[in-house]
Amino acid sequence: MELERLVVVWCPELQQEGPRGEEARRFVQVVARTGELCPWAHPIRLGVCALPARGPARFFGGEEMVVSRLVEVVGEDAHVGVADGLFAAVLAARARLIVPAGEVRQFLAPWSVATLARAELAVTLQRLGVTTLGQFAALPSPHVSDRFGADAAAAHLVARGESGELAGLRDRSIERRLRVARGEDPDLGSVPPPYQPGFFGGASAADTRAALSFARVQDRLGIEAVLLGRIQGGRDPGEQAALVPWGSPEAGAIPAGGAPWPGRLPLPSPTEVLRVPRRVEVVDAAGLALEVSGRGLLNGEPARLSVEGGPWQAVTAWAGPWPVTERWWSVRRRRARVQVVTDDGVARLLCAERAQWWVEALYD
């Protein structure tokens, strides 16, 4: 059986998707640029796309010209190769080679049996002294099928150059993942539906249009151009919220806020966390400075406070303290927090550390 001749674009830096999801977005651009040059390009897995070689080779005047144009369009970081069959074409791209037609078996011969991505089979073959695809291909086909099973027999055909496909080489979910990275609804597609079923769950037309707009903004300005707020774990108010890129795995991850955080403040959370804490003096009814003991107890009740040397204000309500002891990792850190409301109606979160009080956050 004649194997289809394929051109493969292989991007080593995009093989694994990181927590921020930029690899999928970058690969979307690779597939789009490849498709602009050769409209038959299709993704195989993250970081790998393929296209038939015959049509582009006729149009551009040979496979060498196709490879050259793809490198120009996609970038020099991408590897481009040509061979018969998908498995050999991927290896050809990794090696940046054009394997002559009909020479797949010779090309595959020196590659390790580990490239078949069959760990148990590779270990067994290596114990038997079969370390390369050439040695594996030389084994009699009936013996391979009887000794190792049907999957090994299929891999044996690939090693012999008689089959170009290997089970597991294609990621069946890649199209869906790339549609999400493009901001499209993976179930409805890029065309918004004529209805808006947002009342009882599901994505509305407005949601789809917004997702497409977000994706376009990120394509033009970078992934940091559209950020989402996400609740996460932490003791400090500033640690319990983070901005992550829209569409990244972090944005859809389950928050870790339910984990135990000794010293964490009870609800409600502050509405404004100050970037730069403000120095504050806190005294009791007798005018003595309020302090926190080593056991996390106050030496009195807060009666008045002055923020950064400003006028003194009476404390009308307070709660706490909530002590926090951290050892990160060799320096022991002790803090305590108190919530206070003053006679002007402002609610503040105060933090005491090393005999000094600070305003950390404000409440509505």
Side-chain angles (χ1 to χ4, degrees), residues 294-313:
R295 299 176 61 186
L297 302 175
L298 297 177
N299 64 342
E301 295 188 4
R304 294 181 298 148
L305 62 80
S306 171
V307 180
E308 295 186 337
W312 288 93
Q313 297 172 311

Side-chain angles (χ1 to χ4, degrees), residues 62-276:
E63 294 174 349
E64 293 82 1
M65 291 300 299
V66 175
V67 171
S68 177
R69 292 295 298 274
L70 282 173
V71 171
E72 291 178 3
V73 171
V74 179
E76 295 184 356
D77 292 338
H79 298 203
V80 183
V82 186
D84 299 340
L86 181 59
F87 178 77
V90 171
L91 295 184
R94 289 171 56 179
R96 293 179 168 174
L97 292 174
I98 298 177
V99 180
E103 297 186 11
V104 171
R105 181 165 179 173
Q106 297 90 319
F107 166 70
L108 294 177
W111 289 83
S112 170
V113 291
T115 58
L116 295 170
R118 304 293 192 272
E120 294 184 5
L121 176 63
V123 170
T124 303
L125 290 174
Q126 288 167 350
R127 288 176 178 172
L128 296 174
V130 179
T131 60
T132 66
L133 294 181
Q135 294 172 329
F136 182 45
L139 298 178
S141 297
H143 294 178
V144 172
S145 178
D146 293 342
R147 173 64 177 81
F148 303 110
D151 185 65
H156 187 246
L157 292 177
V158 171
R160 292 170 63 92
E162 298 174 6
S163 172
E165 288 283 343
L166 189 63
L169 186 57
R170 296 177 185 266
D171 182 356
R172 301 302 178 184
S173 67
I174 186 61
E175 290 282 1
R176 183 182 181 88
R177 293 171 65 189
L178 296 187
R179 294 179 75 174
V180 172
R182 287 193 294 263
E184 301 174 2
D185 188 308
D187 298 314
L188 300 178
S190 59
V191 179
Y195 52 87
Q196 192 162 343
F199 293 103
F200 302 101
S204 68
D207 295 332
T208 303
R209 288 194 295 269
L212 290 171
S213 299
F214 293 161
R216 293 189 186 105
V217 171
Q218 288 180 321
D219 284 341
R220 293 184 179 183
L221 304 180
I223 64 170
E224 300 291 342
V226 183
L227 303 176
L228 293 178
R230 179 180 178 275
I231 302 300
Q232 60 185 14
R235 296 182 178 89
D236 295 345
E239 296 176 347
Q240 295 171 18
L243 293 175
V244 298
W246 174 85
S248 68
E250 286 182 346
I254 299 175
W261 293 97
R264 183 177 184 177
L265 291 173
L267 296 176
S269 299
T271 56
E272 179 183 357
V273 178
L274 303 181
R275 289 181 176 271
V276 180

Side-chain angles (χ1 to χ4, degrees), residues 276-295:
V276 180
R278 300 170 185 169
R279 186 184 294 268
V280 61
E281 295 180 63
V282 188
V283 298
D284 61 13
L288 299 176
L290 202 67
E291 297 179 353
V292 181
S293 70
R295 299 176 61 186

